Amino acid sequence: MPYRTIRFIAALLAVTFAAACRTSTPQQLVSGDAASKVYVAPGHYDEFYAFLSGGYSGNVSVYGLPSGRMLKIIPVFSQFPENGYGYTQETRAMLQTTFGEIPWDDTHHTELSQTNGVPDGRWLFINGNNTPRIARIDLTRFETDEIIQIPNSAGGHASPFTTPNSEYVVSATRFSVPIPNTDTPIEDFKARFKGTISFIRADQPGKMDIAFQILMPGYDYDLGHAGKGPSDGWFFFTSYDTEQAYTKLEVNASKNDKDFIAAVHWKLAEQCVKDGKAKATPSAYLHNVTDERTRIATSERKTSVLILDPANCPGVVYFIPTPKSPHGVDVDPTGEYIVGGGKLATVIPVHSFTKLQKAIADKAFDGELSGIPILKYEAVMVGEVQKPGLGPLHTEFDGKGYAYTSMFISSEVVKWKLGTWEVVDRIPVYYSIGHLMIPGGDSKQPWGKYLLALDKITKDRYLPTGPELAQSAQLIDISGDKMKLLLDFPTTGEPHYAQALPAAMIRDKQVKFFTLANNGNPYVTRSEAEGGIERKGKAVHIKMIAMRSHFTPDNLEGVLVGDTVYFHITNIEQDWDIVHGFAVLGMNTANLILLPGETRTLKWVPQAAGVYPFYCTDFCSALHQEMQGYIRVSAAGANVPLKANMSARAKTQEARKGALVVPARHDQMTGMR
């Protein structure tokens, strides 16, 4: 490695250490009017919903802005004991992969669905990083409805960025791997390891699938964004480790002065696939989806994908040289400017889509790699932001002609002007900022009032909580010429990236309860008289209702050690926010939260004879403590008849309708026999 590169990296590390070790000073305090700008009075609503990735929690966190109040955690790729996601029989299939059930993953980037390049409030997409997946979250219910696994990929970091009309969400591999992934000597990295860029059809709920993958050289692909306006039909991805090193990457993957932004002409790729130029390749992956009527998740196994080699579709990919180990690639609202964020760069390079098109037409190439032309840097670059700070990562835009870049090493946000490339303002953040977010700041229509800084280190910012501290988001006012820090608040997990939109877009579209008449779960219990207990061999099915303030049935007998017990519980309330819970002594599959009109199932295998209480875990009424019951478990082989104690109301209903019978149902839930 050249001495100047070693010296530069050493300087960056020194600044990083210094930034991380800073302590608060009076200069870090916000101005006197900050509190009034973030105050949201009791009973009043925030102006924006902000959706933050949960990082290593595997989930999504929802905050109101400007207050910073947490509104909800949406479970996605991780089991969530608060509401039983990933534990209940209805939801377990959501966590299935070809590797088996994965109870916990790592989320990095949230992405709102778009129409004409503007967030539309229909869905939120989020990536699973460790085992590459993309999830769709329905924003009328704030629930994960669909997850697609991505084969031929490892480390789904550059994901799930959407095209302007959400035709596709797009994901690139972080770790290049052999394709197919078979036993391969790691020393064969340059010859055998490849990357992929996956285009996943996303415009129809419940039907996500991999439309095609583009085969790429064996680099690490980091982040991406779609073009818009004049650059619509193109996609841009950063890559690093163009050295194709596979040991000590902090040294061996930092040798080249420039790495690449991959400019992908996805409209051309789409046409080449239609023309039969992609190859069907055996590839196993799962598609998990929740049925809208039954609210039961199922998994479908897929066995093949179409892979397009750029050599078979000339013009589909070009490399734009970009300094140095680029992280972010961001497209301004006009679609003309493509901004690179080199982690080790001393400038912020800005490329022009117009110049890119001309460079392609003029064949202004500087060689090629794996059949992909390398464009000349000077032919595509339109400007460089000089002396922005240290460690530029990610840029967003306010829609008023300005860009804002996070500077990881110097712990600041830098504001600069499009067209002149001059720095006009900077503000310190605490500490080591990764991404930043302006509502709509990566779209054609930013709502350029606030900027949210997502920081990695929070030492000395909050009351200490031992060696592990919460991470931080900081709200900055960008409505004027100068940025002003308004608020910081702790966040769950590591919030890599965020998206936000005006609350008015989706606030009044929220589902308040599930209509009981439309509940399609095969074990739904719509009235007390429909409850009961039934044995099918060693499986015992209990149908139960929950309402204020009792369960029916509330006492159960006839269960034997060795039985598998399924509690099918329906919350028959039809009112907003009337939630019930359920838990049984010793149950190791969590407890339930039941939304109004919803049926959920928990499996329990009792290990010893005895009497086991169950109760409502969510305080639902003045008589919440009285909402309880017992299940008697007898020794294996005992001759104890099944018995379900019904309420007086249920008995009256039963007398009117005839004897209580629990009908046999076709089992729609995996393993529920």
Side-chain angles (χ1 to χ4, degrees), residues 33 41 44 53 66 75 80 103 130 226 254 299 327 413 466 469 505 514 554 596 618 621 659:
D33 64 345
H44 290 253
S53 72
F80 194 58
N130 180 41
S254 302
S299 291
H327 182 66
V413 173
L469 306 179
M505 289 182 68
F514 297 103
D554 58 357
D618 190 271
S621 71

Side-chain angles (χ1 to χ4, degrees), residues 169-191:
V169 284
V170 187
S171 177
T173 187
R174 174 181 173 185
F175 307 109
S176 291
V177 292
I179 299 175
N181 196 350
T182 57
D183 183 11
T184 304
I186 298 174
E187 291 81 1
D188 290 349
F189 188 96
K190 289 188 178 182

Side-chain angles (χ1 to χ4, degrees), residues 219-279:
Y219 308 149
D220 283 24
Y221 297 87
D222 207 359
L223 289 176
H225 269 107
K228 54 181 77 79
S231 55
D232 188 10
W234 288 75
F235 226 101
F236 305 94
F237 279 96
T238 52
S239 65
Y240 63 99
D241 191 20
T242 54
E243 299 87 350
Q244 294 188 288
Y246 52 88
T247 60
K248 296 184 179 178
L249 263 63
E250 77 277 14
V251 174
N252 294 324
S254 302
K255 295 179 178 180
N256 293 340
D257 286 334
K258 291 184 176 68
D259 293 284
F260 297 126
I261 290 173
V264 180
H265 191 178
W266 66 264
K267 287 283 190 181
L268 177 59
E270 192 178 50
Q271 186 60 51
C272 285
V273 171
K274 289 178 182 177
D275 292 342
K277 296 180 179 179
K279 180 181 178 182

Side-chain angles (χ1 to χ4, degrees), residues 498-641:
Q499 295 265 272
L501 46 65
M505 289 182 68
I506 61 174
R507 183 187 65 206
D508 297 331
K509 298 177 183 178
Q510 297 304 296
V511 172
K512 296 183 177 179
F513 59 87
F514 297 103
T515 304
L516 193 59
N518 296 334
N519 184 327
N521 189 295
Y523 290 97
V524 61
T525 308
R526 293 189 176 88
S527 69
E528 294 181 80
E530 294 180 8
I533 186 168
E534 180 188 30
R535 175 178 293 280
K536 294 181 181 180
K538 286 188 170 295
V540 176
H541 293 267
I542 298 166
K543 293 180 63 182
M544 182 181 291
I545 65 97
M547 63 178 293
R548 288 167 289 181
S549 298
H550 65 272
F551 296 105
T552 299
D554 58 357
N555 290 329
L556 299 145
E557 298 184 41
V559 174
L560 307 179
V561 173
D563 285 343
T564 298
V565 181
Y566 295 97
F567 291 93
H568 311 286
I569 309 168
T570 302
N571 177 354
I572 64 171
E573 309 278 2
Q574 294 288 268
D575 194 5
W576 191 20
D577 198 30
I578 304 301
V579 175
H580 294 298
F582 180 80
V584 179
L585 173 66
M587 178 177 281
N588 61 8
T589 50
N591 46 296
L592 284 177
I593 288 294
L594 297 147
L595 306 182
E598 176 180 59
T599 301
R600 284 288 185 248
T601 298
L602 272 183
K603 183 174 78 171
W604 179 51
V605 181
Q607 302 297 310
V611 177
Y612 295 82
F614 56 83
Y615 71 105
C616 176
T617 59
D618 190 271
F619 204 102
C620 54
S621 71
L623 296 176
H624 163 74
Q625 291 294 96
E626 284 74 17
M627 193 169 173
Q628 65 182 50
Y630 293 96
I631 181 167
R632 173 188 172 191
V633 178
S634 303
N639 188 23
V640 178

Side-chain angles (χ1 to χ4, degrees), residues 298-554:
T298 56
S299 291
E300 179 186 5
R301 187 178 182 90
K302 308 276 188 171
T303 58
S304 180
V305 296
L306 293 171
I307 297 182
L308 180 65
D309 189 328
N312 297 325
C313 187
V316 74
V317 183
Y318 296 91
F319 281 139
I320 305 172
T322 299
K324 182 175 195 299
S325 296
H327 182 66
V329 54
D330 303 286
V331 182
D332 85 304
T334 71
E336 171 61 20
Y337 299 126
I338 303 141
V339 181
K343 301 188 294 291
L344 302 180
T346 58
V347 298
I348 301 173
V350 184
H351 306 292
S352 160
F353 184 74
T354 300
K355 295 188 72 173
L356 181 148
Q357 293 293 88
K358 186 176 187 303
I360 292 171
D362 294 345
K363 298 188 184 301
F365 302 148
D366 197 9
E368 66 174 34
L369 285 169
S370 300
I372 298 172
I374 303 170
L375 296 164
K376 291 184 177 179
Y377 180 70
E378 295 77 12
V380 180
M381 189 268 292
V382 70
E384 293 178 334
V385 181
Q386 299 291 327
K387 299 180 180 179
L390 293 175
L393 287 187
H394 175 219
T395 299
E396 293 216 343
F397 309 90
D398 63 6
K400 295 175 278 191
Y402 294 97
Y404 301 75
T405 301
S406 56
M407 312 300 291
F408 175 78
I409 294 173
S410 50
S411 292
E412 58 186 331
V413 173
V414 173
K415 177 181 178 181
W416 49 275
K417 187 172 178 60
L418 291 164
T420 66
W421 327 120
E422 60 182 321
V423 173
V424 297
D425 193 23
R426 62 179 72 235
I427 188 171
V429 289
Y430 307 100
Y431 306 102
S432 297
I433 180 175
H435 283 280
L436 50 75
M437 180 274 291
I438 295 169
D442 63 345
S443 76
K444 289 174 68 174
Q445 182 184 299
W447 292 277
K449 184 175 182 179
Y450 300 116
L451 180 149
L452 196 67
L454 302 169
D455 304 329
K456 305 295 186 186
I457 298 173
T458 59
K459 60 172 64 180
D460 75 39
R461 299 301 294 173
Y462 308 118
L463 287 172
T465 55
E468 183 183 4
L469 306 179
Q471 299 192 31
S472 179
Q474 294 188 292
L475 187 69
I476 296 169
D477 181 351
I478 59 170
S479 60
D481 292 336
K482 295 292 184 180
M483 294 180 282
K484 296 180 180 180
L485 178 63
L486 300 178
L487 176 73
D488 59 11
F489 53 92
T491 60
T492 59
E494 182 185 356
H496 291 263
Y497 187 41
Q499 295 265 272
L501 46 65
M505 289 182 68
I506 61 174
R507 183 187 65 206
D508 297 331
K509 298 177 183 178
Q510 297 304 296
V511 172
K512 296 183 177 179
F513 59 87
F514 297 103
T515 304
L516 193 59
N518 296 334
N519 184 327
N521 189 295
Y523 290 97
V524 61
T525 308
R526 293 189 176 88
S527 69
E528 294 181 80
E530 294 180 8
I533 186 168
E534 180 188 30
R535 175 178 293 280
K536 294 181 181 180
K538 286 188 170 295
V540 176
H541 293 267
I542 298 166
K543 293 180 63 182
M544 182 181 291
I545 65 97
M547 63 178 293
R548 288 167 289 181
S549 298
H550 65 272
F551 296 105
T552 299
D554 58 357

